[in-house]
Amino acid sequence: MKTLVCTAPGHFEFREDAVPESGAGMARIRLKRVGICGTDLHAFEGTQPFFSYPRILGHELSGELLDTSGAEGFESGELVTIIPYFSCGTCIACRMGKPNCCVTINVFGVHIDGGMREEIVVPISSLLHSQGLSADELALVEPLAIGAHGVNRAGVQPGEYVLVIGAGPIGLGAMELARIAGAHVIALDINTDRLRFCKEQLAVHAVVKGTNPDAVEQVKAITNGDFPTVVIDATGNLRAINNGIQYLAHGGRYVLIGLQKEAFSFSHPEFHKRESTLMSSRNAVKEDFELVIRSMKEGAIRPQTYITHTVAFDEVPAQFENWLNPATGVIKAMVQF
């Protein structure tokens, strides 16, 4: 079968691999779609933590189940997606019900080879039914689930003001799920087109351009002088993370979904005087995936609005670098098999 490998930052190559065998407790899937996310882009440019080369990218996916290996409730031929975080089940995090941050976690397409190949084998425990969703929709569940997990970590309540910094796919998912939770969502980004998308397609409460010199005052005015009680960073940009505290209300929660390699820092007095809560949000849990699927089925999320670029598997190497350029207008690129 054909496999696409990221051999080093900035380099892809196709190779021919043997078709995988499923084995006990494993399921074989023929790929239909793979979504391209920030993790893939950062891996390609060499800025992704927890990463080594060569690596087969791709963890946002959907496909046809070929061999169920006796998975209860699943049938060969059905369309599925997966939870691409493979945990040990025994470490302290897993015992606390947090397999998303398992001590020895293997994230598909990050720590281990992922979905940029014609067929894959995954644990049957990772399978999720399509529940009538299309291949495109299923491949969008995982990035939206990451946003759902961040919103859940923040404990967003109806009527709260929630500022999401970064209007990439993960940030857009956080906005959607914060809105579904009943919050007044403010989108902050430096890209005017992305902000327009947030306003027109996601119907957020307000948008603010981060490069405006009065951005802090704008956020203050939108929240009637209070500032948002939840700030979510979805940029993975060091400067944005360091500056995010200035938008946070006293008594508020600051959630970091975005990830980068360097140490972050901000004024201790500014953090302390607010009695701020700082937390990270890593990956997602099954309940987050189920919430996203349910929200799609109910029409609360319109996943097709996210897909701006579609490319055949064979064309990925020629197109991939373009998706690093904001001028292309890419929100979500989708690979078709």
Side-chain angles (χ1 to χ4, degrees), residues 24 129 133 284 286:
H129 293 285
L133 298 181
K286 187 174 184 179

Side-chain angles (χ1 to χ4, degrees), residues 200-283:
E200 295 177 356
Q201 301 296 333
L202 305 189
V204 298
H205 180 75
V207 298
V208 175
K209 191 166 185 179
T211 52
N212 287 346
D214 64 343
V216 174
E217 289 302 312
Q218 288 185 45
V219 172
K220 181 179 180 181
I222 291 165
T223 58
N224 303 309
D226 289 335
F227 287 102
T229 46
V230 174
V231 174
I232 296 174
D233 177 83
T235 65
N237 176 276
L238 182 59
R239 183 177 179 183
I241 292 169
N242 289 345
N243 290 338
I245 191 71
Q246 66 187 322
Y247 298 103
L248 185 65
H250 282 235
R253 293 96 74 198
Y254 187 22
V255 183
L256 305 182
I257 300 179
L259 178 65
Q260 48 80 47
K261 285 186 172 183
E262 306 301 325
F264 63 85
S265 64
F266 34 76
S267 164
H268 193 171
E270 289 297 321
F271 180 76
H272 189 86
K273 74 182 185 182
R274 290 168 167 79
E275 196 177 55
S276 310
T277 299
L278 174 66
M279 62 186 80
S280 61
S281 178
R282 188 179 187 192
N283 300 324

Side-chain angles (χ1 to χ4, degrees), residues 167 172 187 189-204 206-209 331:
L172 297 176
D189 201 279
I190 62 174
N191 186 309
T192 302
D193 292 335
R194 288 285 179 93
L195 292 176
R196 183 182 302 113
F197 181 90
C198 293
K199 193 69 175 177
E200 295 177 356
Q201 301 296 333
L202 305 189
V204 298
V207 298
V208 175
K209 191 166 185 179
I331 292 177

Side-chain angles (χ1 to χ4, degrees), residues 310-322:
T310 300
V311 64
F313 182 41
D314 289 346
E315 299 172 359
V316 171
Q319 297 295 324
F320 201 92
E321 191 169 3
N322 294 333

Side-chain angles (χ1 to χ4, degrees), residues 54-301:
R55 181 66 67 222
I56 301 170
L57 305 181
H59 59 274
E60 305 174 0
L61 57 87
S62 63
E64 177 189 354
L65 190 57
L66 298 178
D67 183 353
T68 66
S69 189
E72 186 176 352
F74 287 89
E75 297 181 356
S76 295
E78 73 170 286
L79 198 61
V80 295
T81 188
I82 68 167
I83 301 173
Y85 327 123
F86 306 149
S87 54
C88 72
T90 59
C91 73
I92 179 63
C94 289
R95 297 199 308 271
M96 290 193 301
K98 296 175 70 67
N100 57 300
C101 60
C102 169
V103 174
T104 57
I105 196 167
N106 280 315
V107 177
F108 203 57
V110 179
H111 305 100
I112 59 175
D113 285 338
M116 284 288 187
R117 40 187 163 168
E118 293 175 310
E119 294 186 15
I120 58 172
V121 167
V122 296
I124 60 174
S125 58
S126 70
L127 297 177
L128 292 170
H129 293 285
S130 68
Q131 298 193 39
L133 298 181
S134 70
D136 281 338
E137 291 168 333
L138 282 177
L140 287 164
V141 171
E142 192 272 346
L144 292 169
I146 290 178
H149 191 69
V151 169
N152 184 54
R153 287 279 285 152
V156 172
Q157 300 297 311
E160 282 194 284
Y161 283 97
V162 174
L163 173 68
V164 179
I165 304 173
I170 301 301
L172 297 176
M175 294 175 203
E176 291 266 58
L177 274 299
R179 173 184 54 78
I180 290 170
H184 303 299
V185 179
I186 306 167
L188 188 147
D189 201 279
I190 62 174
N191 186 309
T192 302
D193 292 335
R194 288 285 179 93
L195 292 176
R196 183 182 302 113
F197 181 90
C198 293
K199 193 69 175 177
E200 295 177 356
Q201 301 296 333
L202 305 189
V204 298
H205 180 75
V207 298
V208 175
K209 191 166 185 179
T211 52
N212 287 346
D214 64 343
V216 174
E217 289 302 312
Q218 288 185 45
V219 172
K220 181 179 180 181
I222 291 165
T223 58
N224 303 309
D226 289 335
F227 287 102
T229 46
V230 174
V231 174
I232 296 174
D233 177 83
T235 65
N237 176 276
L238 182 59
R239 183 177 179 183
I241 292 169
N242 289 345
N243 290 338
I245 191 71
Q246 66 187 322
Y247 298 103
L248 185 65
H250 282 235
R253 293 96 74 198
Y254 187 22
V255 183
L256 305 182
I257 300 179
L259 178 65
Q260 48 80 47
K261 285 186 172 183
E262 306 301 325
F264 63 85
S265 64
F266 34 76
S267 164
H268 193 171
E270 289 297 321
F271 180 76
H272 189 86
K273 74 182 185 182
R274 290 168 167 79
E275 196 177 55
S276 310
T277 299
L278 174 66
M279 62 186 80
S280 61
S281 178
R282 188 179 187 192
N283 300 324
V285 295
K286 187 174 184 179
E287 290 77 11
D288 301 316
F289 282 79
E290 292 172 341
L291 173 59
V292 169
I293 290 172
R294 185 165 62 251
S295 298
M296 286 184 179
K297 289 183 64 178
E298 294 173 352
I301 295 174

